[in-house]
Each structure stands twice: as C-alpha cells, then as structure tokens.
Amino acid sequence: MPGEKKKALIVVDVQNDFCPGGSLAVAHGDEVIAPVNQLIKEFLDRGEPVYKTRDWHPPQTNHFAAYGGVWPFHCVQNTEGAEFHPDLLDDPRITIISKGIDDTADGYSGFDGTNLAELLHEQGVQEIWVGGLATDYCVKETVIDGARKGFKVKALADTMRAVNVNPDDGAEAIEQMKSVGAEIVGDASRAASVT
Ligand SMILES: [Zn+2]
C-alpha cells in the first residue's frame, strides 16, 4: 500500500523457562502464545518478516545469581528450558535471534549483541511490532532499543505479560515504552499485571 511502512514482527523469548513450569516462569506467560501465533500467521501470509528472539545463555554467566547476577538458571543453551514453547508456531521463514550468549551479557534486548538491526535494515523494515516475555525486561528493552535505533515501534500489550518483581514493574515498563515514543496497542493493564 502506498505510504505504508514495511513492518516486521518480533516475538520476544516465548521459551519454556519463561512459561508456567519453567525455571523463571512468568505468571500466565503461556497466554501470550495464542495471540502471538495469530500475528505470526498474518505476517507470514503477507510475506512480512517474523523474528523470534531467545535467551541463549552459557551455563556460567554473570547473569545468573550463582555467578554474581540476579536470576536463577534459565534458558541455558541446548537445554529444554531454552527451547521455544512447543505451542509457539514454527516456520522455516522465521528468523531466530539468540541473545545473552556472552558470559558477561544480560541480553535483555533483542538488539543487544545481535545482528537484528542490520537484518531489519537489509529488509527495508521501518516499523517493528513487539510482543512476548516479559513486559518488564526483554520486551521493554527490545522496544526501547528499537525506538532508539529509529524504528517506529508498536508494543503489543495483548501479547505480553510481566514478571513484576516489584508490583508496579509492568506498569512502569509500559510508561517507559511510551516515553521513547512506542505506541502501546491493546490492553496495557493486562501487559502490566500478573493476573
Ligand atoms: Zn536471561
């Protein structure tokens, strides 16, 4: 369509360890899968690029509490916990972006230490739609980085859930996303809450 920006979908970290039963489970994290799958279908049907990011940590990293960080072990490379949730749509046209692979990197953002920005530029993408897990960490940082790198960003509130280490973290994350110019689409209260 004339004037329409070329867009890409970025699905953040819908991995076993972030879903109920995982080592760093986000409450109701698996509820994002149905709306995310719908979007993946729509993007692929239109021939638009789809990316899935994944936390892909080495067994020893400063990111884990055991080695000086704050998090329990999660998404260790080549373990079941690091696999995408089995219900998340898979398709050979989807590009996987691995992050947090360095033993000193948190890798919250899909742009941190990856070639995601380059790939998007190569494809002529101007607008990114972002959802996944979790609202207050990897989704937030991916949204903020995307906006800083000059992409128009839609944050898809119906496709995210928060960790809420502090009860207001999710709500604050939504505010921070807005403050960098991201457009919040859908029910922000759902994205911020743990219920
Ligand atoms: Zn991590």
Side-chain angles (χ1 to χ4, degrees):
M1 257 181 259
E4 193 167 290
K5 288 186 164 54
K6 178 155 186 194
K7 55 186 189 286
L9 177 65
I10 300 176
V11 177
V12 177
D13 297 9
V14 182
Q15 293 167 270
N16 287 330
D17 272 343
F18 295 130
C19 291
S23 68
L24 187 46
V26 179
H28 303 275
D30 53 339
E31 290 177 9
V32 307
I33 294 168
V36 161
N37 281 347
Q38 181 61 35
L39 283 164
I40 291 175
K41 256 188 218 143
E42 291 171 10
F43 271 70
L44 292 177
D45 284 350
R46 292 191 298 254
E48 292 167 337
V50 175
Y51 291 85
K52 284 178 186 169
T53 71
R54 63 180 180 184
D55 242 8
W56 196 247
H57 297 302
Q60 283 192 26
T61 162
N62 298 352
H63 184 60
F64 294 156
Y67 305 102
V70 294
W71 301 110
F73 289 97
H74 63 276
C75 300
V76 173
Q77 294 163 12
N78 303 306
T79 63
E80 194 185 341
E83 288 173 16
F84 292 112
H85 190 285
D87 294 337
L88 185 67
L89 261 191
D90 197 14
D91 188 286
R93 292 169 288 179
I94 298 172
T95 305
I96 294 171
I97 300 289
S98 300
K99 62 188 179 59
I101 55 180
D102 192 278
D103 62 8
T104 58
D106 286 316
Y108 293 130
S109 161
F111 293 96
D112 184 8
T114 73
N115 63 344
L116 177 57
E118 288 78 2
L119 292 171
L120 291 169
H121 286 310
E122 277 168 21
Q123 291 170 314
V125 170
Q126 298 161 294
E127 177 175 304
I128 55 174
W129 291 27
V130 184
L133 301 172
T135 306
D136 35 355
Y137 292 95
C138 294
V139 172
K140 178 184 82 174
E141 296 301 333
T142 301
V143 163
I144 290 173
D145 267 359
R148 285 194 182 133
K149 288 176 185 296
F151 295 100
K152 183 179 184 339
V153 184
K154 286 192 180 178
L156 311 170
D158 295 323
T159 70
M160 51 178 91
R161 292 291 185 281
V163 176
N164 282 335
V165 171
N166 306 299
D168 292 334
D169 284 354
E172 231 165 73
I174 295 288
E175 288 311 309
Q176 284 178 270
M177 293 185 218
K178 279 187 199 165
S179 73
V180 296
E183 181 186 344
I184 311 297
V185 181
D187 182 358
S189 65
R190 183 50 86 67
S193 85
V194 292
T195 55

